[in-house]
Amino acid sequence: MPGRSHIKQARVKNNRFGSMNWTRVSPRRALILSGIGALLGLVVAGFGLFTSKGTRTFVVPPEDVAIVNNVPILTSDYDALLMATYNVSPAGASPEQRKTIIDAMINEELYVQRGIELGMQTDVIEVRQALVSAVEAQQTADIIAAPFNDEELKAFYQNHSNMYATEGKIQGRDYVAPDVAQAQLFLAQLNSTGNESAASKAAAMRQTGLFSDGPEFYFAAKLHMEPALFSVAQTLKPGMASRPVELSDGVHVLVMVMNDPPHLMPFDTVKDKVLRDMREKKSQIVRASSGAFLRRRADIIVTRGLE
Amino acid sequence: MPYRKLALGGACVAILVLVFSMMLANSMYHTAVMNQDPQWLLTQSVWSGHVRDDGGSLFRTHCASCHGNDSRGNAAIGAANLTDSDYLYGNGDVLETEQIVLHGIRSGNLRGWNLASMPAYGTEKPYSLYAVEPLSPGEIDKLASYLQDLGRLGGASGQEPDQSMSATLIEGSKLYASKGCWDCHGADARGDTAIGAPNLRDHIWLYGDGSRQSIAHSLTFGRHGQMPAFEKTLSPVQARTVAIYAWSLSHKAGAREK
């Protein structure tokens, strides 16, 4: 039979292992070899477990320049610091420069680790503030880095259109009279002649100088005008004159020159603001839910009266 | 029968060798990317193809939504054109680009560029960090006219307005000097790459199209462009690769000069 002839040919004779036949299935041999493998594994695991340095990387990966107590110092940080300190590229730096930078970074890492050991994240205000800022940034980094599309932006723009209105602009000529009668005379003259200058002379109206520098944004006009006058001014179209408005310094009549109320800006014009606002809104949601999650999993006890 | 076992064993060995070779090649590639001069890498045919392919793929996944598939930016959101040689921050070096990729611009990352943004001079509180006076619509119009024509107002930096200019432009130049624009953009309006203030004389517009209307919009509503920090999204090798790729976009033949 071909099989038996093959086995005979493969038999090892008079070798240093005696008459061991490797082609023959031997449960005892399999058991011994498995046992040896298991024992070796236990020895390696025990060595790693019970030695003082624990699991240790012996090779620095290419993205790091050093590893300090298993904390990597990144190549990108090293390169940036080298450039910032000596204005040289990593390839152009001298050995002394490279050593100075790497030593400084190792010292910094050791001090940071020591600071954590000493609990400075609890005691030092600046460290705490920096940690809070860093965690907040971490929470929202994915949101800011996420790709977006125009449909998403347009939907946000339409749902928050009140955020994308122009600031209204307004300009007029403000006249003041000592009493209502003169103000009404001015209006009558204006309506009949259409000549504002003649009407103001006839009624002895005085210009207050409001809007003398040209148009103003609504927010500025609100600051420069009494509320009663501003609310009337908002309703006037260009060329219209207001009714007499009694204020503390006299009776005012406003002749409108230009009134451009706030209006919604086109999407394409405010796309950058929509993107930023959408990211900020999502970030707020993430921060709130992260805060809630941290509270849920924390064990917090508050003194009586401050719950 | 022995031939079948031999073939099987050979195939296993071949697969192991292939896997090991790929791992070794990958490790060598990572080492080259992180430890070699980035600009030298692109001259080496062995690595440049990998860098461009990997970098291009990363760019399309993470960057193209803002900077465009053609890398020419998006003036609607202030995403910079990466194919020209105009740099807002630094001088466009690979390591500087890498830092921007990792830590972002106004991203909230403490190591990112968070120095300043363009105030909204047409609002009640133009700037949140400190008090800045708003401008009137007329002042904004004059300033916009001045900025639109800035490139034509003589080549010498810091040139004073002269009698050949219109009254509007003279007013605009006075506003530029008196309203704090020079604080960021420089007395000569050539910007400051140390803080990301654009050069206003070069006709390269981060936002809009350089029309008076779009300049007036920037002055009125401010600009607060944002570049994400990819520190936690990309590995260090990926960040370096995409930075090299971005650098290569502005350093190939035919790139638009400043």
Side-chain angles (χ1 to χ4, degrees), chain A residues 107-127:
Chain A
N107 281 344
E108 180 188 284
E109 182 55 41
L110 288 170
Y111 271 72
V112 166
Q113 292 178 15
R114 183 61 181 149
I116 293 170
E117 283 175 4
L118 293 173
M120 288 185 175
Q121 67 274 20
T122 307
D123 303 327
V124 179
I125 290 177
E126 290 84 356
V127 172

Side-chain angles (χ1 to χ4, degrees), chain A residues 7 14 39 63 68 83 121 126 129 131 173-174 190 194 208 219 221 230 253 260 272 275 278 283 295 303:
Chain A
I7 288 170
N14 296 321
L39 195 62
E63 57 264 27
V68 181
M83 178 69 85
Q121 67 274 20
E126 290 84 356
Q129 287 172 343
L131 275 174
R173 283 183 289 275
D174 180 35
L190 189 61
T208 62
F219 68 83
F230 180 75
V253 175
D260 181 16
D272 63 313
L275 175 60
M278 187 178 76
S283 298
R295 279 181 174 263
T303 192

Side-chain angles (χ1 to χ4, degrees), chain B residues 11 19 31 35 77 148 159 181-182 227 232:
Chain B
V19 168
T31 303
N35 294 341
I77 56 170
Q148 188 187 28
Q159 183 175 9
C181 309
W182 56 270
M227 157 89 182
K232 302 297 179 190

Side-chain angles (χ1 to χ4, degrees), chain B residues 58-81:
Chain B
L58 288 165
F59 186 89
R60 282 187 292 277
T61 304
H62 298 287
C63 316
S65 62
C66 289
H67 289 282
N69 286 323
D70 59 358
S71 317
R72 291 193 179 274
N74 185 341
I77 56 170
N81 181 349

Side-chain angles (χ1 to χ4, degrees), chain B residues 91-167:
Chain B
N91 57 13
D93 184 75
V94 170
L95 296 181
E96 286 176 346
T97 306
E98 183 186 36
Q99 290 298 304
I100 293 175
V101 168
L102 287 170
H103 306 300
I105 299 169
R106 293 182 211 96
S107 61
N109 186 299
L110 295 179
R111 296 177 61 183
W113 288 97
N114 292 314
L115 288 172
S117 54
M118 174 68 187
Y121 286 103
T123 59
E124 195 169 352
K125 283 189 183 136
Y127 201 52
S128 59
L129 292 181
Y130 48 82
V132 170
E133 267 188 35
L135 298 177
S136 69
E139 288 173 329
I140 288 175
D141 278 343
K142 285 173 190 163
L143 204 40
S145 295
Y146 172 70
L147 292 173
Q148 188 187 28
D149 286 349
L150 205 55
R152 296 193 295 106
L153 290 178
S157 60
Q159 183 175 9
E160 291 297 320
D162 61 35
Q163 299 304 316
S164 65
M165 297 180 197
S166 68

